[in-house]
Amino acid sequence: MNKDLSRRRVLQMGALAALPLLSSQAHADPVAVAAQPDLAAVPDALPSPRSWVVRPFDLNQVTLGDSVFREKRDRLLYFAREYGPSVVGGVRDDKRGPDRMLRSFRVNAGLDPKGASPIGSWESPDGNLRGHYTGHFLTLLAQSYASTGEQIFKDKLDYMVDALGECQDALAAAASSPTPRVAGRSGTAVRLTGTPNGHITGDADCIAVPAGITNGLTDFTVATWVNLAVRDVDARIFDFGRPGDSAADSKVRMYLAAHTSSGGPRFAITISGSEGEQRIDTTTQLAADRWAHVAVTKAGNVGTIYVDGVAAGTGTLTLSPADLGETTTNWIGRAQFPQTNIKFLNGTIDEFQIFGRALTAAEVAAVAQDAGAVGPADVLWYRFDEAPGPSVVDSAGRGEQRRVLRRHRRTTAPRVPVGVHRGPVHQAGGVHELQRRRYLGAVLHPAQDHARPARRVPPGW
């Protein structure tokens, strides 16, 4: 017996089993009834008469008799009419259900959620899948209207699609505004507003550093000022990696977390995933709402984390950035794989520097007082003192000033128009770009800068 049954084969077997029922009940073309299956036409397949034709049909052409199917259908229609609930305290409001479905979208877009309470479960405000149920609800309304023609279903659809369009407008307006600069440790800085998971703002700001920026480095120093707004566990100050198509690529990274379960910053580097991480942990905590200077150095096989110019932790590092190969996704303010338990950085970043050597303890202490104390960082130096906007000037002393490359995609998800994305691909050199990612619901869909994705309406509407 062949145990390797494909889904197509199972469907063919089901169709064959239904043939006697169809032949006795369906009003078929006499020619089709008379036709006999041609088993030789499709090798190893079940009978499929040549005269049979598959034709689409509308839902209002289907009538269900008294059966469990009709009972289930009626329950779904009732749910589509009354979800919310639509009647509270004897007052009917058919927008109450749609408003609950729209809550995550409106909150993300900074719009009034109209007093709607969160749905909960997978739709909880801090869930990675929030918003997806809205798509199912839109489909339910569309099919209910197509099947029954009842105006209440179309009214709810109109209301929800218009509201999603308002969310798109609000997100597009936010994306078109210049990325602001705020008061920094010296001059100005960039405020990263944190992850959408657990934070009401819904922003997910981060900075994309050019690919391959640490190619060939053995000894190195990364130093920056950070002012945490929220001390989220494992939120990354930076995370450089190569999450390619292969499983091996996804295990290559090095990162600096601002706050871990041990209390202080952690540096880790690996070419074999979390189980192979070489770590330096500290217990010196970074307080919220206070500027702190954090640096990590590697000299030979010794790694050191400094906080405010003082060594806070050391460890053995036999791996170096050179062992990672070309890292293709290098982030400031986010992890390679952000999720519920690894959040985007919620804080302010200033004077982000990468040196192609290990600074001495005295040099780190000097840089903690004055970013330029030992001269320009020779690999990367983001001062964030440029005018508000998406461009970040690299002040590293390499004499390169290259133009920013802008590449955008425009997509929307089926049925639920989602997402606005701002941020191009980056090129090593003098001017780089911020990326501001806005989440509409659960799934991020990039869209053309300053433009609104085309609206899609549910099928059958």
Side-chain angles (χ1 to χ4, degrees):
M1 177 179 178
N2 182 10
K3 296 182 179 180
D4 187 18
L5 288 175
S6 67
R7 183 165 61 178
R8 175 178 295 179
R9 185 69 173 171
V10 171
L11 291 174
Q12 288 174 334
M13 293 171 65
L16 182 62
L19 282 176
L21 178 63
L22 289 173
S23 62
S24 62
Q25 294 185 0
H27 298 284
D29 188 321
V31 177
V33 174
Q36 296 298 318
D38 185 355
L39 297 179
V42 183
D44 300 323
L46 293 170
S48 179
R50 295 180 182 276
S51 60
W52 285 13
V53 177
V54 176
R55 297 186 179 92
F57 57 89
D58 294 331
L59 290 179
N60 60 11
Q61 294 179 272
V62 179
T63 301
L64 296 178
D66 188 11
S67 65
V68 66
F69 301 107
R70 181 173 179 174
E71 178 186 346
K72 300 296 185 183
R73 189 276 314 274
D74 290 345
R75 287 183 180 180
L76 287 173
L77 291 176
Y78 179 82
F79 179 82
R81 292 188 197 96
E82 303 300 331
Y83 174 75
S86 295
V87 179
V88 175
V91 178
R92 185 173 189 88
D93 182 0
D94 288 325
K95 295 179 181 178
R96 187 172 282 111
D99 282 339
R100 292 191 70 187
M101 294 290 177
L102 293 164
R103 185 184 186 279
S104 291
F105 295 87
R106 284 170 167 159
V107 169
N108 274 345
L111 300 178
D112 179 11
K114 301 186 182 299
S117 59
I119 297 173
S121 187
W122 284 5
E123 289 292 323
S124 61
D126 61 350
N128 279 328
L129 292 177
R130 71 194 188 284
H132 86 285
Y133 193 62
T134 304
H136 296 308
F137 193 68
L138 286 169
T139 300
L140 172 62
L141 292 175
Q143 293 185 345
S144 297
Y145 176 65
S147 178
T148 68
E150 292 183 34
Q151 188 63 32
I152 187 174
F153 301 129
K154 185 175 185 301
D155 289 344
K156 290 185 176 184
L157 277 170
D158 288 338
Y159 180 76
M160 292 185 69
V161 171
D162 287 344
L164 289 170
E166 292 169 0
C167 292
Q168 289 180 317
D169 288 339
L171 290 171
S176 65
S177 63
T179 302
R181 299 298 185 268
V182 299
R185 176 61 173 71
S186 62
T188 57
V190 167
R191 174 72 165 89
L192 304 178
T193 52
T195 181
N197 295 314
H199 296 287
I200 296 300
T201 60
D203 292 346
D205 297 347
C206 55
I207 302 167
V209 178
I213 193 69
T214 58
N215 279 0
L217 292 185
T218 51
D219 290 359
F220 69 92
T221 299
V222 181
T224 189
W225 283 96
V226 60
N227 189 336
L228 299 178
V230 178
R231 298 177 68 247
D232 285 324
V233 173
D234 289 327
R236 305 291 203 249
I237 294 175
F238 73 83
D239 194 328
F240 297 173
R242 194 175 72 231
D245 295 332
S246 71
D249 281 343
S250 67
K251 296 182 177 182
V252 175
R253 59 183 174 272
M254 71 175 192
Y255 65 84
L256 179 63
H259 170 62
T260 63
S261 56
S262 63
R266 167 184 291 167
F267 174 78
I269 184 169
T270 180
I271 57 174
S272 55
S274 57
E275 65 276 8
E277 285 185 356
Q278 297 180 7
R279 296 177 175 177
I280 308 170
D281 282 313
T282 72
T283 57
T284 305
Q285 297 187 10
L286 306 185
D289 298 320
R290 176 185 175 276
W291 282 105
H293 188 267
V294 184
V296 56
T297 68
K298 179 180 181 293
N301 288 340
V302 178
T304 306
I305 293 179
Y306 296 83
V307 177
D308 292 329
V310 178
T314 61
T316 300
L317 300 177
T318 60
L319 294 174
S320 68
D323 296 309
L324 304 183
E326 179 164 340
T327 54
T328 54
T329 54
N330 302 323
W331 304 107
I332 298 174
R334 64 157 281 180
Q336 294 297 319
F337 308 101
Q339 49 192 300
T340 300
N341 61 329
I342 303 181
K343 301 178 183 299
F344 286 76
L345 188 74
N346 192 335
T348 307
I349 294 285
D350 200 4
E351 302 289 358
F352 187 91
Q353 299 172 290
I354 303 179
F355 298 84
R357 64 184 180 90
L359 299 186
T360 66
E363 287 176 318
V364 172
V367 170
Q369 298 300 315
D370 177 5
V374 299
D378 57 329
V379 178
L380 185 76
W381 189 3
Y382 291 160
R383 308 206 69 174
F384 305 115
D385 290 337
E386 58 279 323
S391 297
V392 179
V393 175
D394 180 8
S395 299
R398 293 180 294 173
E400 295 185 15
Q401 291 289 328
R402 297 186 183 181
R403 70 184 181 88
V404 174
L405 299 179
R406 293 180 178 269
R407 184 174 71 188
H408 301 275
R409 293 181 298 157
R410 179 177 179 177
T411 60
T412 54
R415 303 186 184 89
V416 187
V418 293
V420 172
H421 163 72
R422 175 155 61 99
V425 173
H426 305 78
Q427 192 170 18
V431 182
H432 305 139
E433 290 258 346
L434 289 171
Q435 287 199 349
R436 170 160 295 181
R437 295 173 180 265
R438 299 271 184 165
Y439 285 78
L440 216 173
V443 183
L444 175 66
H445 291 264
Q448 189 173 10
D449 199 12
H450 305 177
R452 186 163 111 195
R455 296 187 188 178
R456 301 279 297 276
V457 297
W461 178 46

